[in-house]
Amino acid sequence: MNSPHPSPATPAAPLAPTFSLCVFCGSRSGTDPLHAQAAQAVGQWIGRHRGQLVYGGGSNGLMGLLADAALESGAQVVGVIPQSLEIKEHAKRDCTELHVVPSMHRRKQLMAERADAFLIMPGGIGTLEEWFEVWSWRQLGYHDKPIGVLNVGGYYDALLGALGQSAQAGFMDNWQLDLIQISSSIDTLLPALVQNAGFAPPDRLEQI
């Protein structure tokens, strides 16, 4: 005999993210509005392509703009923040997952573990340190995940020139420079990172 009050349908589980992109960027917004626009565009791109954002867990600056845009576009967002910065960087409590960890070392380790690829955007000393660490790990063979630099408005031109000069002076080889993919175009760089990480091209991801 059928029940007069059928049980409500169980809501469908959210789709698992297709890829996970770790983004390093500033906890300040900077003076050039192009940088804020790029952070929002990257977050939107990740959401549109059913990706997951892994980032530093703060609400300030480019980090906050990036995470807000990703969440609003349907992405899952994993924030990782050390206890010492939980108040200073205003830990983002509405992340899909927020991990408060005891140290910067653990922060970077967990972010790297959760990522399929890395993207570097404009930022300060912390962003530079994160970029150079994952790059150093890559050239030492500790991981084989692709690394991209989004050179918004030529922000990294001078630094990239100095790195080229270092290679010319014999302190690094060109193959080490070639471990980094550099572009000013989100629509060029992000699909390349996802594909080089071993996933379907993003134009196909939207059809899945």
Side-chain angles (χ1 to χ4, degrees), residues 7 9 14 65 101 109 119 133 135-136 151 166 173-174 177 191 194:
S7 301
L65 292 171
V101 295
Q109 180 185 22
L119 178 70
E133 184 162 73
W135 185 21
S136 176
N151 190 23
S166 179
D173 296 318
N174 286 329
L177 295 175
V194 170

Side-chain angles (χ1 to χ4, degrees), residues 33-92:
L34 280 177
H35 299 155
Q37 293 167 15
Q40 292 172 319
V42 167
Q44 291 164 357
W45 189 96
I46 294 171
R48 285 200 313 271
H49 294 88
R50 218 180 79 207
Q52 175 174 268
L53 168 66
V54 178
Y55 87 116
S59 297
N60 297 344
L62 299 187
M63 293 169 62
L65 292 171
L66 168 74
D68 282 341
L71 286 167
E72 290 167 6
S73 299
Q76 295 189 25
V77 174
V78 178
V80 187
I81 193 166
Q83 291 171 341
S84 60
L85 295 179
E86 192 175 359
I87 295 174
K88 183 178 180 181
E89 290 190 355
H90 297 93
K92 191 165 178 56

Side-chain angles (χ1 to χ4, degrees), residues 157-170:
D157 282 354
L159 178 54
L160 293 168
L163 293 173
Q165 189 173 22
S166 179
Q168 291 174 9

Side-chain angles (χ1 to χ4, degrees), residues 128-149:
L128 296 175
E129 190 265 345
E130 290 163 333
W131 167 9
F132 276 69
E133 184 162 73
V134 295
W135 185 21
S136 176
W137 290 350
R138 174 72 192 269
Q139 64 101 22
L140 291 171
Y142 293 157
H143 72 82
D144 61 356
K145 300 173 182 180
I147 302 168
V149 174

